Amino acid sequence: MLSRLKTLSSRQFTFILAVYYVCVFNIPFFAVVKHGIDKQTDVNMLFVATIPLFLVFALSFVFSLFSVKYLAKPFFIVLTLISANVFFAEFQYGAVIDYGMIENLVQTNRAEASTYLNWVSVLSFCITGVIPALLIYKVNIHYQPFAKELLRKALFMLAMLAGILVIAAFYYENYLAFGRNNNLIKRSIIPTYFIGSAAKFININYVQTPLEYRQLGLDAEIVAKKTKPNLVVMVVGETARAQNYSYYGYAKPTNSHTKEQQLLVFKDTHSCGTATAVSLPCMFSRMDRKNYNERRAKAQDSVIDVLDHAGVQLRWLDNDSGCKGVCNNIQHILVDNSKLTKWCNGDSCFDEVLLQELDKQLSSIKTKDTLIVLHLIGSHGPTYYQRYPEQHRVFKPDCQRSDIQNCTQQELFNTYDNTILYTDYILSRVVKRLKQINQFDTAMVYMSDHGESLGESGLYLHGAPYAIAPKQQTHIPFLVWLPEDFAKQNKLSLSCLQQQANSGGFSHDNLFDSLLGLMNVTSTVYKPQGDIFARCKQQ
């Protein structure tokens, strides 16, 4: 059948391809359009009817630029295969492939990427990508002599442009108003938006000249004179949302392991981003979320470096996809998840593997002010069921598969809640270890990098553009274990901290100054107003 495909002119090929992209790959786009229409009380159905025509004309115009002999087939085969994957991500998970998502994908390791592979994704890729790509390869595209081909292509593009202008002439104000009221529309168009985002990523990371590196806080020093040095364990959570924490009003007992340890629970805390690639470097950066710039962040010290300048002993232990550059200048260990051990299956490891690494560090560190960071894999999806051992499979039935959209809501929430409960177990074990240490004043800080969507409003996973991200992806847990001895030695009022924690209004923006304050480090880059502990410091 494929060998007998009829011959198409380049214009016919371009138009048919544009129709396919509109009718198949842009199904998520039309879902966004429908959502916008449903919000309106007065709908002009003629305007609505022009939307698919407008998109066909626009894609036909753009595709014509690449419908060139020797280029068309390889270009559109690759584009169709990539678009098939983007379509699946948007259709099944409600993901938006913008700059931040592309950055996250580039930094994803093999084991993490494999969690998104399942029979549904493979079948979708074959049907929407491989089969059309094979048809593109087999079709016979007839090109006229250069001058005739150029003239006919120009006429075709003018016709498409004329169609766009006619629609705009009648419905320009409708398109303008509808676009302003529905910011997600342009982000959902395949392939134009993800291509633009990819071009931006390539330009920033591979074309632009790197900025000159800037060191911060070279004047940093530890100012407190204490009998014992501080030892703080900073636990960085992964994909944990506050909504599923008992501490934040959730009905299920997801914090049963730490409930007796009197943690400070900081209410209403928000992340810097909705994906690790953004949130992790941002939360340790001097820049706040509103002025955060990835390029500048890579070219200057983080709070980890400032603590290093002050002489604080530092360790970074990682069971996730790396520290995204934050720990490059200090001693760090990335767990080798390719090994088959008690805690690792060859693709990923349970977070208890970090407790083993923590024990090694605690037995070998010098008795001086110390910060140890534990970067958990936590609740990373979609394979939530791989984040906790069988003995921690408390909430059942759970979702034992990666195509989470095909699980029931109860199963999905149960498996995610198991990850939260298991993280709570890890925190309790950290606190237990710190309580046994006598040569340090010990404390623990836990903060997640971002949250997660579990099917609310049709969204799954994370990585939504921050401006339109739901609270499930930005509202995060922020917990602190601060024993009385630590508070007394560091002149902190626990009652004041408890009142402040209940008042809310915190974010990743507080972390830079709060870590410096907790470690009694002063510097010109330190801002007391951002330090949650400075507000409760006793003279």
Side-chain angles (χ1 to χ4, degrees):
M1 175 183 172
L2 293 176
S3 62
R4 295 197 302 271
L5 283 174
K6 63 180 288 187
T7 299
L8 300 175
S9 69
S10 62
R11 280 83 59 202
Q12 291 171 323
F13 170 77
T14 300
F15 190 78
I16 292 171
L17 196 63
V19 170
Y20 174 73
Y21 270 69
V22 170
C23 293
V24 178
F25 288 152
N26 279 284
I27 290 174
F29 164 79
F30 289 110
V32 175
V33 170
K34 182 182 182 301
H35 181 69
I37 292 171
D38 290 341
K39 292 189 298 182
Q40 294 186 189
T41 54
D42 184 21
V43 180
N44 185 330
M45 295 311 297
L46 288 177
F47 156 66
V48 174
T50 67
I51 295 176
L53 287 175
F54 188 97
L55 197 54
V56 168
F57 293 154
L59 289 183
S60 294
F61 183 88
V62 174
F63 286 177
S64 293
L65 299 173
F66 302 93
S67 297
V68 180
K69 193 173 184 179
Y70 305 121
L71 172 65
K73 285 192 175 185
F75 176 81
F76 286 113
I77 285 173
V78 172
L79 183 64
T80 299
L81 293 174
I82 296 174
S83 297
N85 284 310
V86 174
F87 161 72
F88 181 80
E90 291 196 13
F91 183 71
Q92 292 290 352
Y93 301 124
V96 176
I97 310 302
D98 61 356
Y99 178 91
M101 183 64 77
I102 290 174
E103 180 182 35
N104 214 37
L105 291 170
V106 169
Q107 296 184 14
T108 296
N109 56 37
R110 180 193 62 81
E112 187 175 322
S114 66
T115 63
Y116 295 90
L117 191 65
N118 53 67
W119 71 269
V120 179
S121 63
V122 173
L123 183 61
S124 174
F125 178 68
C126 290
I127 293 174
T128 64
V130 175
I131 293 176
L134 188 57
L135 291 171
I136 293 171
Y137 174 74
K138 287 290 187 178
V139 71
N140 181 26
I141 305 175
H142 177 66
Y143 296 94
Q144 298 284 341
F146 180 76
K148 286 186 178 180
E149 181 69 24
L150 186 62
L151 176 60
R152 293 186 178 185
K153 177 173 290 190
L155 292 173
F156 175 77
M157 294 178 71
L158 284 172
M160 296 301 104
L161 184 60
I164 293 171
L165 292 176
V166 167
I167 293 173
F170 286 95
Y171 300 109
Y172 173 75
E173 292 184 357
N174 298 77
Y175 275 93
L176 192 63
F178 195 73
R180 284 177 176 173
N181 293 329
N182 299 276
N183 293 328
L184 192 57
I185 282 184
K186 69 176 182 179
R187 302 172 188 263
S188 302
I189 299 175
I190 298 174
T192 54
Y193 192 74
F194 81 77
I195 289 178
S197 299
K200 179 182 177 182
F201 177 83
I202 292 170
N203 180 52
I204 291 176
N205 291 277
Y206 301 105
V207 177
Q208 291 182 350
T209 303
L211 298 174
E212 183 178 352
Y213 194 87
R214 179 187 174 207
Q215 289 187 301
L216 302 177
L218 292 175
D219 62 336
E221 61 177 337
I222 301 169
V223 293
K225 295 181 180 180
K226 297 166 63 262
T227 305
K228 294 188 290 186
N230 284 351
L231 166 61
V232 176
V233 174
M234 168 78 197
V235 184
V236 179
E238 169 65 59
T239 321
R241 67 186 204 178
Q243 181 175 320
N244 289 59
Y245 273 64
S246 302
Y247 290 131
Y248 295 95
Y250 193 50
K252 290 159 74 173
T254 52
N255 297 116
S256 58
H257 295 292
T258 60
K259 66 180 181 180
E260 303 299 328
Q261 294 173 336
Q262 298 181 320
L263 303 186
L264 293 168
V265 180
F266 288 82
K267 306 291 179 64
D268 189 32
T269 302
H270 296 271
S271 65
C272 186
T274 62
T276 307
V278 176
S279 283
L280 193 61
C282 181
M283 65 194 289
F284 287 94
S285 169
R286 174 65 283 175
M287 290 176 281
D288 295 338
R289 185 189 69 79
K290 291 183 179 179
N291 64 11
Y292 178 74
N293 179 278
E294 177 203 357
R295 191 163 174 249
R296 284 171 52 205
K298 289 181 177 178
Q300 66 181 33
D301 283 345
S302 69
V303 66
I304 297 296
D305 299 304
V306 176
L307 290 168
D308 191 33
H309 299 328
V312 174
Q313 187 173 212
L314 297 157
R315 300 288 188 275
W316 186 291
L317 311 180
D318 205 302
N319 186 38
D320 202 358
S321 56
C323 67
K324 313 304 181 187
V326 177
C327 64
N328 285 358
N329 299 324
I330 66 167
Q331 184 175 333
H332 58 276
I333 297 172
L334 179 62
V335 171
D336 183 1
N337 57 22
S338 65
K339 296 180 179 179
L340 293 174
T341 66
K342 180 180 179 181
W343 306 120
C344 305
N345 62 12
D347 289 317
S348 64
C349 300
F350 298 127
D351 281 323
E352 279 175 87
V353 72
L354 287 177
L355 298 180
Q356 295 178 321
E357 294 294 339
L358 178 61
D359 288 338
K360 293 177 184 177
Q361 295 300 322
L362 293 177
S363 65
S364 62
I365 58 175
K366 299 176 181 178
T367 307
K368 57 182 294 190
D369 288 284
T370 302
L371 175 72
I372 299 176
V373 180
L374 304 183
H375 186 196
L376 308 182
I377 197 170
S379 303
H380 199 291
T383 51
Y384 306 116
Y385 69 96
Q386 293 183 358
R387 304 294 169 243
Y388 49 90
E390 179 64 29
Q391 60 269 33
H392 290 273
R393 189 182 174 192
V394 175
F395 304 112
K396 299 177 183 179
D398 53 355
C399 178
Q400 294 280 313
R401 54 198 296 177
S402 62
D403 53 330
I404 55 176
Q405 70 279 3
N406 292 319
C407 292
T408 66
Q409 185 183 56
Q410 180 190 15
E411 290 171 340
L412 181 54
F413 270 71
N414 280 345
T415 194
Y416 183 81
D417 290 340
N418 282 333
T419 69
I420 300 299
L421 182 60
Y422 181 58
T423 292
D424 194 64
Y425 170 77
I426 298 297
L427 297 181
S428 73
R429 297 298 91 185
V430 171
V431 170
K432 181 178 179 180
R433 282 162 169 77
L434 293 179
K435 284 181 175 180
Q436 297 172 348
I437 296 175
N438 296 318
Q439 67 269 34
F440 290 93
D441 289 321
T442 60
M444 181 194 72
V445 178
Y446 170 74
M447 182 181 275
S448 183
D449 59 351
H450 56 79
E452 185 86 327
S453 288
L454 297 176
E456 296 88 359
S457 302
L459 295 179
Y460 293 87
L461 306 176
H462 53 267
Y466 201 92
I468 59 173
K471 65 180 181 179
Q472 289 85 2
Q473 295 189 30
T474 60
H475 188 199
I476 57 170
F478 178 19
L479 312 173
V480 175
W481 174 70
L482 206 66
E484 289 186 9
D485 286 347
F486 186 99
K488 182 178 179 181
Q489 293 301 319
N490 288 272
K491 299 180 179 179
L492 293 171
S493 168
L494 284 176
S495 59
C496 171
L497 282 171
Q498 184 63 67
Q499 290 178 352
Q500 183 174 242
N502 290 332
S503 67
F506 306 100
S507 74
H508 279 165
D509 293 350
N510 294 110
L511 187 61
F512 188 103
D513 300 301
S514 297
L515 283 181
L516 292 180
L518 196 60
M519 299 305 296
N520 299 302
V521 170
T522 185
S523 168
T524 52
V525 296
Y526 168 69
K527 299 177 182 178
Q529 63 269 27
D531 179 6
I532 60 173
F533 301 105
R535 305 169 197 177
C536 296
K537 201 84 170 179
Q538 298 172 324
Q539 299 300 323

